[in-house]
Amino acid sequence: TASTARTVSSTANNEKETIGQMLGGLVFLKTGKRAQLIDFYTNRIGMSVWLEQPNITILSHGNMILGFHESDEPPDLQGMYTFVYPSRGAVDEMYRKLKDTADAKPRDNERYSIY
């Protein structure tokens, strides 16, 4: 079910009511290997554990928030995460760190104007 969030903010001269204002969000994926994923994303990528709940771990890195849900159901196998780094050099550094799991070297993507 969907619910509408309601917040009230005030200024010095008036009060303004805002309904349905989103503060952020996160993506959850089902997995049968939560411990291994948490190890990879915390130790190799540098994410931090943001919240632990029964069968759920939520990780964060900057404004990226990912949740992994331990499940007996088939895991979610589709998805693409994009981590934003401040420079090409920082991208290259992460590639060197993760070379053993990378599909390819970093490259320019003219369609999306990214490296």
Side-chain angles (χ1 to χ4, degrees):
T1 62
S3 63
T4 302
R6 186 174 192 184
T7 61
V8 177
S9 61
S10 62
T11 62
N13 297 327
N14 62 8
E15 289 190 6
K16 178 181 174 184
E17 185 174 11
T18 305
I19 299 174
Q21 181 180 6
M22 185 187 311
L23 299 177
L26 60 121
V27 175
F28 276 99
L29 296 173
K30 291 181 288 196
T31 181
K33 298 181 177 182
R34 191 174 101 220
Q36 292 96 320
L37 286 171
I38 302 314
D39 181 64
F40 176 80
Y41 282 100
T42 57
N43 293 318
R44 303 283 310 272
I45 302 292
M47 295 188 83
S48 299
V49 174
W50 188 63
L51 182 64
E52 288 275 0
Q53 295 179 331
N55 298 326
I56 290 175
T57 302
I58 301 173
L59 303 176
S60 68
H61 188 282
N63 67 355
M64 171 78 78
I65 301 174
L66 300 175
F68 295 100
H69 176 242
E70 186 75 35
S71 176
D72 293 331
E73 296 178 24
D76 292 316
L77 300 175
Q78 303 255 341
M80 180 184 308
Y81 312 130
T82 302
F83 291 90
V84 178
Y85 289 92
S87 67
R88 293 171 75 96
V91 171
D92 291 337
E93 182 181 329
M94 283 305 293
Y95 170 72
R96 284 189 293 278
K97 183 177 177 181
L98 300 169
K99 191 175 183 177
D100 62 313
T101 63
D103 292 332
K105 291 181 179 181
R107 63 191 176 285
D108 287 306
N109 183 323
E110 292 180 18
R111 182 175 186 181
Y112 298 109
S113 299
I114 60 173
Y115 173 71

